[in-house]
Amino acid sequence: MPGLAIVGAQWGDEGKGKVTDLVAERADVVVRFQGGNNAGHTIVRDGAVFKLHLIPSGILHPGRICAIGNGVVIDPRVLTEELDGLRRRGVDTGGLRISANAHLIMPYHLMLDHAGEARLGKLEIGTTRRGIGPCYADKAERLGIRVQDLLDEKILKQKIYAALEPKRQSLRPYAKDPSSTCTP
């Protein structure tokens, strides 16, 4: 079975979404295989503008299977907002599939992203502060929470505790000041 991979070589703003959308009309399956919701694809279809951050742009082509692969880090809030927005606009999202092994951006990843940038001060690297880097770090350290962990509350609690234990010092300032929320 032939396949086509669209890969960027810059910072992500080279038009991969537009190319994917053009190719998706002839594809059976459209897969997002890596990245997070730090950027997105803006697709204009019949004068309507769609801004997608996690869901592959193939979702706008009826009958396509659209998969979010295990290399993607998913912010559940962003994903549900994106799904709700598409459904409100009459887009059929029934073809969406999500890898059970995709990692979840947890609220503490957002806090760690903010805290890391604050610690660097003028030397900050300029992250989007959406928790993507800390989530990938947890994935590499085998401390990440995966989609499949949502299916078993006991496993989920154990994994969250294990993931948070080494981060307690970095997260301590947020425990002292509940108004320190990290919403992007």
Side-chain angles (χ1 to χ4, degrees):
M1 169 185 295
L4 174 65
I6 300 165
V7 180
Q10 296 178 16
W11 293 104
D13 55 357
E14 60 273 271
K16 293 185 305 285
K18 188 176 299 275
V19 173
T20 300
D21 186 53
L22 292 171
V23 174
E25 24 183 78
R26 297 183 307 275
D28 296 319
V29 179
V30 180
V31 180
R32 170 118 191 244
F33 60 90
Q34 58 85 31
N37 61 290
N38 55 320
H41 304 301
T42 301
I43 306 296
V44 179
R45 171 77 38 82
D46 299 325
V49 177
F50 295 88
K51 294 184 184 242
L52 303 171
H53 299 280
L54 288 169
I55 299 173
S57 60
I59 201 75
L60 300 175
H61 297 275
R64 303 304 183 274
I65 298 293
C66 291
I68 297 176
N70 64 340
V72 178
V73 292
I74 300 170
D75 183 325
R77 181 186 52 81
V78 172
L79 179 62
T80 55
E81 287 174 1
E82 198 166 311
L83 280 167
D84 290 345
L86 288 169
R87 289 179 186 133
R88 274 193 306 276
R89 296 178 75 181
V91 175
D92 178 10
T93 59
L96 181 64
R97 305 292 183 271
I98 302 172
S99 171
N101 290 321
H103 281 73
L104 298 173
I105 296 173
M106 303 298 286
Y108 54 82
H109 289 129
L110 297 168
M111 292 176 191
L112 289 166
D113 206 352
H114 281 255
E117 287 287 79
R119 254 192 326 274
L120 291 172
K122 291 181 180 179
L123 299 175
E124 71 178 20
I125 61 173
T127 75
T128 58
R129 298 179 189 225
R130 293 186 179 159
I132 294 162
C135 185
Y136 274 121
D138 273 2
K139 178 179 181 173
E141 292 179 21
R142 298 192 170 131
L143 291 172
I145 310 301
R146 297 181 294 173
V147 170
Q148 65 187 346
D149 298 329
L150 297 174
L151 302 175
D152 186 318
E153 187 175 340
K154 184 177 177 184
I155 290 173
L156 179 61
K157 284 180 180 180
Q158 288 174 336
K159 289 188 81 173
I160 289 173
Y161 181 79
L164 284 174
E165 189 56 33
K167 299 168 180 64
R168 287 174 53 180
Q169 286 301 101
S170 294
L171 293 172
R172 191 172 304 277
Y174 294 99
K176 292 178 183 172
D177 182 5
S179 66
S180 296
T181 58
C182 295
T183 52

